[in-house]
Every structure is written in C-alpha cells, then in structure tokens.
Amino acid sequence: MKKTEILPKDIWNDEKLNTINEFIKNHSDNQSKERKIRNKLLSIQYKLEDYIEKDDIKENEVLDILDFVKMYLKALGITKRDLAKYFGMRDSNLHKYLTGNRKLNPEVVLKISSFSHTKPEYWYRVQVKNEMVKLKKERTKDYEKYDYKKLLSL
C-alpha cells in the first residue's frame, strides 16, 4: 500500500473554513453583553502582556500607557475625562501620567490596575520598557566622556 502525504488543503477546504467561521460568529452573537466586554478586556490584557514580554521594540512600535488605557476605555464605552473624575484627578493630570510626562506613582498604578483588573507591575513594566527604548536610541558617544578611567587619569 502506497502512503500519500496529507496536505492542509485536504483537511481545511473553503467549505470547512466557512462552517467554522459561521459557528464562531453564531457563538459570538449569542454571548451576553458582559461576556463580550470580558472578552475584549482579556484581549487587551494579552496585548499588554505581549508588549511587556517582547524583546525588541522599535521606536515606531512604542505604546504609551495611554494607548492601553484608551483600549480599555473604548471597550467599556467611557472617556478619559470620566476615568479621571472616577480616579479623583484632573483630566490633564491623569493625561501626564498616561503619556509618560510624569512618572507613575503607586497610587496611580493601583488605580489603573484595579480599574483594568491587571497586575500593578504591568504598568510599571510598560513605563520601564519605553524608557529602555529611549535609552537605546540615545547616542552613547555623547556619554563616553564620563568613563571612570578618564576621571582617574586627571
């Protein structure tokens, strides 16, 4: 008996793919509003975790904390102004933390973490990751003059 290789097209043809897509769409349409929101929030959390774990982020791929918070706000249908009010802050003050103009502090991190149901360290790690991207971009030649050997030779 001659053995033949089974190709993906032999298993996954257009008809089967359409059937699976239809099943997924029907299942999604029948989910409760709460479940759909929970799915969106999980998707954002996975994006956040992937961003943190990604080894090499290029300058054009940098996402501020604001980018992730905006994803949460969109999924929940609320504004940044509403969030700032909920946090007991001015919108402009919250914006400075979310864009990196101000360093995160424990109070802001705990509020964002509680709001998004994520670990507090995720938000600090995004901040540090973005600082590392900026650090790699800096021209190290400008700082070579600070070598301890040059100081000791004076």
Side-chain angles (χ1 to χ4, degrees):
M1 179 171 9
K2 184 177 178 181
K3 294 182 179 180
T4 60
E5 181 180 356
I6 298 175
L7 301 173
K9 69 178 183 165
D10 297 330
I11 299 171
W12 296 107
N13 58 39
D14 288 342
E15 181 183 340
K16 287 184 180 180
L17 288 174
N18 288 337
T19 302
I20 290 172
N21 286 334
E22 182 78 21
F23 172 80
I24 292 170
K25 185 179 179 331
N26 286 337
H27 182 71
S28 177
D29 289 345
N30 291 328
Q31 290 180 336
S32 68
K33 182 179 178 182
E34 180 183 336
R35 181 62 193 188
K36 288 179 182 180
I37 289 173
R38 214 171 38 192
N39 289 346
K40 288 178 185 178
L41 299 180
L42 273 175
S43 171
I44 298 165
Q45 181 179 333
Y46 295 147
K47 288 177 188 176
L48 178 61
E49 291 171 354
D50 286 346
Y51 183 77
I52 291 167
E53 296 300 324
K54 190 173 181 181
D55 286 332
D56 188 29
I57 295 200
K58 294 169 182 48
E59 189 177 356
N60 64 337
E61 297 174 335
V62 170
L63 295 173
D64 288 326
I65 292 169
L66 177 62
D67 296 316
F68 290 106
V69 170
K70 279 184 176 180
M71 290 179 207
Y72 281 103
L73 297 176
K74 183 179 178 185
L76 297 168
I78 58 177
T79 66
K80 187 167 55 78
R81 185 169 299 199
D82 293 334
L83 183 64
K85 186 176 179 181
Y86 186 64
F87 284 175
M89 305 171 75
R90 290 193 339 257
D91 183 36
S92 60
N93 194 26
L94 177 61
H95 185 77
K96 289 177 183 177
Y97 286 111
L98 299 180
T99 57
N101 290 335
R102 284 196 184 142
K103 299 285 184 214
L104 291 174
N105 63 45
E107 181 183 353
V108 173
V109 167
L110 290 171
K111 286 177 181 180
I112 296 170
S113 175
S114 180
F115 170 76
S116 61
H117 295 236
T118 56
K119 296 177 183 177
E121 58 266 23
Y122 286 179
W123 302 101
Y124 279 123
R125 289 179 68 191
V126 169
Q127 178 175 278
V128 170
K129 169 130 344 238
N130 291 344
E131 288 175 359
M132 293 304 295
V133 170
K134 289 177 189 174
L135 180 68
K136 288 178 184 176
K137 181 184 156 193
E138 289 291 321
R139 293 182 42 211
T140 55
K141 287 196 177 230
D142 292 345
Y143 296 93
E144 287 177 358
K145 63 184 177 186
Y146 299 110
D147 186 337
Y148 75 91
K149 293 176 184 175
K150 292 178 181 175
L151 176 65
L152 292 176
S153 67
L154 292 177

